[in-house]
Amino acid sequence: MSYSSWIKNGSTEEKETFLNCPITKKRPLSTAELQVKEKIADGKTLKIKGIPEHVTLTSGVHNRYWVLDVQDVTSSRSGTEKHLTITCSKTTQSTETCVLKDGWESSPVAVGDIIHLEGRSVSGLWTIDRDSGFLVLLPDLLISGTSIASSIRCMRRGVLGEMFKVFDGGSKQMLNGTIVHDIFQKAAMSSDFSPERIQTFASDALRSPNYLGQMYSLKLTQADMRQEVEEYLPSLSEWAKHYLHTSPQAGQKQLTLKLPSDGALSKQDATCSMTVTDFVDIEENIWCPSFGLKGKIDVTAGVRIHRRGRKPIERIVPLELKTGKESNSIEHRSQVILYTLMSSARRCDPEAGFLIYLKTGSLHPVVGNHMDRRELIKIRNSLAHHIGNNLIKMEGGSQMAPLPAMVSDQQACKYCPQKRNCAVYNRAVERDPVGSCSEGPQAFVQSESEHLSQMHLQYFSHWLLLCTLEAFTMENKGGRRNIWLQTSQQREKSGGCAGNMRLAGGVSILSDGVYKHSFERKEGEQTLTGLIVGDRIVVSDQDSVLIGLASGYVTEITVSGLTCSLDKNLSKYSSNTVFRLDQDEGACGLSTHLGNLSMLMENTPTSERLKELIVEFRPPQFIDSLSSVLPRDAKDTVANILKVCLSGLNKPQKQAMKKVLLSRDYTLIVGMPGTGKTTTICTLVRILHACGFSVLLTSYTHSAVDNILLKLKRFKIGFLRLGRTQKVHHDILPFTEESCRAKGMQTLEELEQLYSKEVIHIKIFCLVQYITHTLQFKGLVSIRFSMHFKSLLCSPRWHLFDQKYS
């Protein structure tokens, strides 16, 4: 290409490179070159360096700004301020300024952070101070109100709670609280709190398959739980007598409540009464990316507030139910304040919410004023800062960052649900010697981790880092944030969304808390969707104002629409409401695996045995003779199975079968696709069944489990299939736990009979890692199994982990 042709036809990037090279800069530019430079400056939008491709920046309601510069400024008039240079575009040099003061200057904002601003911008200047505006750090990291409330006294506990979400099997108190919540919510939605109706709801709950399963795993009886639950029932009716508008006595109890919109009120004028006029929703799910919050509100209710000499005020407010001690604590009140903030993003600002202590029926108003919301958002930002910056990049790799410091509160540490994780993280990642705190308030570090060797701590640190890196990669691919940062049209291009959908026909109830919905495209649109049957989805409105209204699974797809099973009934919304259905990519996180990693560090005999096998690589042990394994009355049956099957098996398959039968710990069967693993496993299950053993069968995918079960079905082998029914092969559905429970199971004895079948096949979905998972079946199985071992880190493979129980 000639020079004149290049000046005319060369790309902008080529011209810019040429003009900026050292040789060109040393000489005067020609007229043509000057014209090219001016055109680049005028028409070319230069991309700001350092902003990753996956980052979405935007203005408007869900604004997202990139922090370009941070300056601490001190003035005699206003004290210390923090001035941020920010931009909401990756392809322009236009910037804005945000001034933080009156306490906001302590926000842990750094160059390269993403922030959301609430307030008013005047000529590109945002001012966040004592009385106006909010800065939300890493707003697409949605943090629950519960985590923020628990961070008030200990930030370390809040961070650990977001990392290790699944590590507790529950307790009698937790189950009791869940059942009492359920009874109140069902009474609320029926607007009937009469003692007779409350008793009916309690009896139904105690026979519910879901609660029966939890009682079973906790080794509780229905009589035990009935005694616990019935202590609360009179208080529920008493609460309704004082506050439900249908009660003749409603409105007589006096409360002190001063809303921000009331202005100046005397203490006497702040006295009021409150009645509940309507129950709008239960377990209302709210994702609030404006404030980086998420939560489920126990009850959303319409209330009427009466004040002497004033017109009644009507609001839709959150009701937070508590079954524990009536403390009216800062943590409980903070949860309600955060719920008022979340609710304000979905409807008119409620300005207040209410705490209801179900043991006594007491009601406490909680005002969500700007000052309290401001302080909670600042705590939320600190929590987001630690969670979002949990990795430190170094030469040669990355490592986990230290957590916030331990608090000096021995009583708080004693009852903290995260104390084991806190102690192990301290020794494994922060490498704080146990002896340095064995005399002080953190003495639990020694008691919680002294059973762990250096090898165990290295294992914990290694896999925590790998899981965190994987979560970081998944998040950078988009995750849930695209639901509110991208239009449905943008999402549909990548196959992760179906937009412009309306409800078609009625909503039917599939089971308790599961509703069947049919959606159709708006008239004239026939665009195919990239969603497939079995996908987990989240439903929002088309404009992403009502985000996360419901979640569930796609069950059927047609040319014009699709059918879903959802956890909420959406028929209450206007027939003109347009929905978008997004694939819920955030549902496949790593919290379960981190919870399993935490359980592996327990100081229990089972965990010790697992650490020996998985961490220390103690070789598996085997017995010497098959004769000691096979029961006498099963030998003929096993011989017949072997006679038919062994003729079609090769030598490695036969060796694998023998190894499994002789195993005391585990046997790993490794083979490339098509080498006969499924056939081998199917034959093994038949033999173990004939011997009267119980078998636990797991795999990385649902289809892999069902492929084996379809083979076993032909041999009349009984089994129980656990897992999401939406992912189960249709020919296996009659064998699912849900199908079996739907036959009218109402007692623990019936449930135990279901779980006591001769062969149990259980499908657990887990990533293939150094992870353990716990399943407990009363009197039958109590087993933890590893999903992987060091020698098997590459290539797809099957694993059969079996344990034999007489």
Side-chain angles (χ1 to χ4, degrees), residues 685-705:
V685 172
R686 293 177 62 197
I687 292 174
L688 294 170
H689 169 256
C691 294
F693 298 137
S694 298
V695 179
L696 171 67
L697 179 65
T698 74
S699 176
Y700 182 66
T701 64
H702 290 265
S703 59
V705 168

Side-chain angles (χ1 to χ4, degrees), residues 114-127:
I114 298 173
I115 61 173
H116 169 80
L117 297 174
E118 287 281 324
R120 194 163 62 96
S121 172
V122 179
S123 300
L125 175 64
W126 296 81
T127 301

Side-chain angles (χ1 to χ4, degrees), residues 469-492:
L469 287 169
E470 183 165 352
F472 180 77
T473 302
M474 291 166 62
E475 180 61 27
N476 287 347
K477 290 181 179 178
R480 285 177 170 166
R481 68 172 182 262
N482 288 337
I483 296 174
W484 51 84
L485 293 183
Q486 291 185 357
T487 65
S488 60
Q489 291 82 2
Q490 290 173 317
R491 287 274 284 163
E492 283 181 334

Side-chain angles (χ1 to χ4, degrees), residues 322-329 332 355-364:
K322 296 295 182 183
T323 53
K325 181 181 178 182
E326 184 177 344
S327 62
N328 197 20
S329 65
H332 290 176
L355 272 170
I356 301 176
Y357 288 95
L358 300 179
K359 190 71 174 284
T360 61
S362 299
L363 180 142
H364 297 268

Side-chain angles (χ1 to χ4, degrees), residues 71-349:
Q71 295 288 336
D72 292 319
V73 178
T74 303
S75 66
S76 57
R77 186 177 63 178
S78 58
T80 304
E81 298 178 350
K82 186 172 283 186
H83 290 201
L84 311 180
T85 303
I86 57 178
T87 183
C88 63
S89 174
K90 291 197 287 187
T91 57
T92 68
Q93 295 286 9
S94 62
T95 62
E96 299 177 45
T97 301
C98 175
V99 177
L100 304 177
K101 58 183 180 179
D102 296 337
W104 283 103
E105 70 277 0
S106 63
S107 300
V109 186
V111 173
D113 280 340
I114 298 173
I115 61 173
H116 169 80
L117 297 174
E118 287 281 324
R120 194 163 62 96
S121 172
V122 179
S123 300
L125 175 64
W126 296 81
T127 301
I128 311 297
D129 56 20
R130 178 185 293 105
D131 302 315
S132 63
F134 294 99
L135 179 143
V136 183
L137 180 64
L138 306 180
D140 300 314
L141 177 59
L142 303 186
I143 301 177
S144 70
T146 306
S147 293
I148 297 170
S150 68
S151 300
I152 293 174
R153 301 186 191 276
C154 179
M155 183 65 63
R156 188 179 179 93
R157 173 182 172 180
V159 176
L160 287 167
E162 286 294 304
M163 294 173 64
F164 300 100
K165 295 180 181 179
V166 184
F167 69 96
D168 192 346
S171 66
K172 183 178 181 180
Q173 291 73 24
M174 291 172 63
L175 177 57
N176 177 59
T178 303
I179 293 175
V180 175
H181 271 64
D182 188 24
I183 294 169
F184 184 98
Q185 290 168 336
K186 282 186 166 57
M189 297 314 289
S190 67
S191 295
D192 188 351
F193 281 82
S194 65
E196 299 78 18
R197 192 67 168 149
I198 292 287
Q199 280 288 349
T200 300
F201 289 133
S203 298
D204 291 344
L206 292 168
R207 293 195 298 265
S208 164
N210 290 334
Y211 297 137
L212 284 177
Q214 294 181 57
M215 290 180 223
Y216 184 85
S217 65
L218 293 170
K219 300 181 180 180
L220 301 171
T221 67
Q222 286 169 290
D224 290 336
M225 291 312 303
R226 178 174 292 279
Q227 184 177 357
E228 292 282 331
V229 167
E230 286 189 342
E231 292 183 22
Y232 288 80
L233 303 187
S235 297
L236 305 189
S237 297
E238 189 70 13
W239 176 87
K241 183 174 71 174
H242 291 299
Y243 298 108
L244 196 58
H245 74 286
T246 53
S247 168
Q249 297 172 257
Q252 295 181 10
K253 274 209 168 187
Q254 297 297 297
L255 306 169
T256 300
L257 175 62
K258 181 180 177 182
L259 300 176
S261 60
D262 286 332
L265 281 180
S266 66
K267 186 175 181 180
Q268 183 178 357
D269 289 338
T271 301
C272 65
S273 64
M274 188 276 286
T275 56
V276 176
T277 59
D278 182 30
F279 292 102
V280 178
D281 204 350
I282 60 170
E283 295 295 331
E284 181 182 17
N285 184 63
I286 298 184
W287 291 351
C288 184
S290 295
F291 298 105
L293 301 171
K294 66 179 178 181
K296 282 183 179 287
I297 299 175
D298 289 336
V299 180
T300 305
V303 301
R304 182 178 293 116
I305 300 169
H306 303 265
R307 281 201 177 90
R308 187 185 61 181
R310 292 194 176 211
K311 186 179 179 180
I313 301 171
E314 297 202 357
R315 291 282 192 276
I316 296 178
V317 302
L319 306 181
E320 175 69 5
L321 310 179
K322 296 295 182 183
T323 53
K325 181 181 178 182
E326 184 177 344
S327 62
N328 197 20
S329 65
I330 183 66
E331 289 86 356
H332 290 176
R333 297 176 66 84
S334 296
Q335 279 184 266
V336 178
I337 293 170
L338 289 168
Y339 290 149
T340 67
L341 190 56
M342 286 185 260
S343 297
S344 69
R346 181 166 286 190
R347 54 179 71 93
C348 291
D349 190 345

